[in-house]
Amino acid sequence: MRPARTASSDTRARILEAARRIIVERGYPAATCQGIARAAGVSRPTLHYYFASREEIYDCLVEQSRNLLAECAERAMRYDTLVERLTEFGLRLREVDSRDRSTIAFLISARLEGMRNRELGEDPAMALREFFIELLADAVAAGELPSDIDIESAVEVMYTVLWGLGFYTGFVERSTDMLVLAEQLENLFASA
């Protein structure tokens, strides 16, 4: 018999949250089904009721991350200017991080784990490149950026800045520092 719907979704969410924390703190190889079950406060058979393997859990975490980033990008694109869009994107990422500190840290970890463990598949943040390309192309079309800008190189710079901020936010940040950093980054984009 399947658990009640609310209890079922809560249990599934606890398993995913526990797996995300373990991956962030100790890496994918340490995320065993037994360890995830223990951290989630469920038995191993209960974990396997929801997920067939740790790979399935990881894939679900990657999909959640991909969806969160897509939602942040979609909300940012509702604004008109490059600075407004970047500001909104940053605010949405901060909001995600404030709900669960392991979310942004998982994005960084997933990028690294994917490089170390090729079987894990695509980096959940690969779609960010497409977002940045659209963002910069729109800014060129609107005259916010010069028409001769090398969009590909600019995207790489933005991607690098995002990973640096993600690392800082996920692993280093003190909350007061992040607000100052976000303001300075916004000022930098506004004046550049």
Side-chain angles (χ1 to χ4, degrees):
M1 183 169 102
R2 188 168 183 99
R5 187 172 183 89
T6 303
S8 177
S9 63
D10 288 348
T11 301
R12 188 174 194 284
R14 270 197 348 261
I15 292 168
L16 290 170
E17 183 180 323
R20 187 172 47 245
R21 279 193 322 266
I22 290 170
I23 292 167
V24 166
E25 292 169 9
R26 295 181 291 194
Y28 178 75
T32 64
C33 287
Q34 184 65 35
I36 294 168
R38 190 176 316 114
V42 300
S43 67
R44 192 165 172 183
T46 298
L47 179 138
H48 285 297
Y49 175 81
Y50 293 96
F51 300 98
S53 65
R54 76 178 179 154
E55 290 80 10
E56 185 179 336
I57 294 170
Y58 187 84
D59 289 345
C60 188
L61 290 171
V62 166
E63 185 64 26
Q64 282 181 343
S65 296
R66 205 178 279 133
N67 292 341
L68 278 171
L69 287 174
E71 181 182 315
C72 291
E74 185 274 324
R75 289 191 59 185
M77 292 306 286
R78 294 178 190 168
Y79 289 82
D80 297 323
T81 69
L82 175 63
V83 172
E84 289 172 339
R85 288 174 172 178
L86 285 171
T87 300
E88 181 64 17
F89 186 73
L91 289 172
R92 292 308 114 225
L93 288 177
R94 266 199 344 238
E95 183 180 284
V96 165
D97 186 59
S98 70
R99 286 193 306 258
D100 183 346
R101 297 264 320 150
S102 69
T103 304
I104 301 297
F106 176 78
L107 282 167
I108 302 303
S109 295
R111 175 99 169 115
L112 298 173
E113 292 296 345
M115 293 166 67
R116 285 186 282 223
N117 304 288
R118 296 288 180 198
E119 73 277 7
L120 293 179
E122 187 180 315
D123 172 4
M126 287 302 288
L128 282 179
R129 275 187 167 57
E130 295 168 19
F131 167 63
F132 288 148
I133 289 168
E134 181 181 1
L135 200 65
L136 294 179
D138 285 358
V140 168
E144 295 176 274
L145 293 175
S147 60
D148 64 345
I149 188 171
D150 179 355
I151 289 181
E152 189 174 311
S153 295
V155 165
E156 288 305 309
V157 168
M158 292 176 71
Y159 204 62
T160 302
V161 168
L162 178 70
W163 285 118
L165 284 174
F167 176 78
Y168 185 81
T169 300
F171 295 98
V172 179
E173 179 248 321
R174 293 186 315 252
S175 60
T176 55
D177 292 344
M178 190 56 192
L179 294 175
V180 172
L181 259 180
E183 285 176 12
Q184 290 305 315
L185 188 60
E186 183 179 336
N187 291 337
L188 177 68
F189 282 125
S191 64

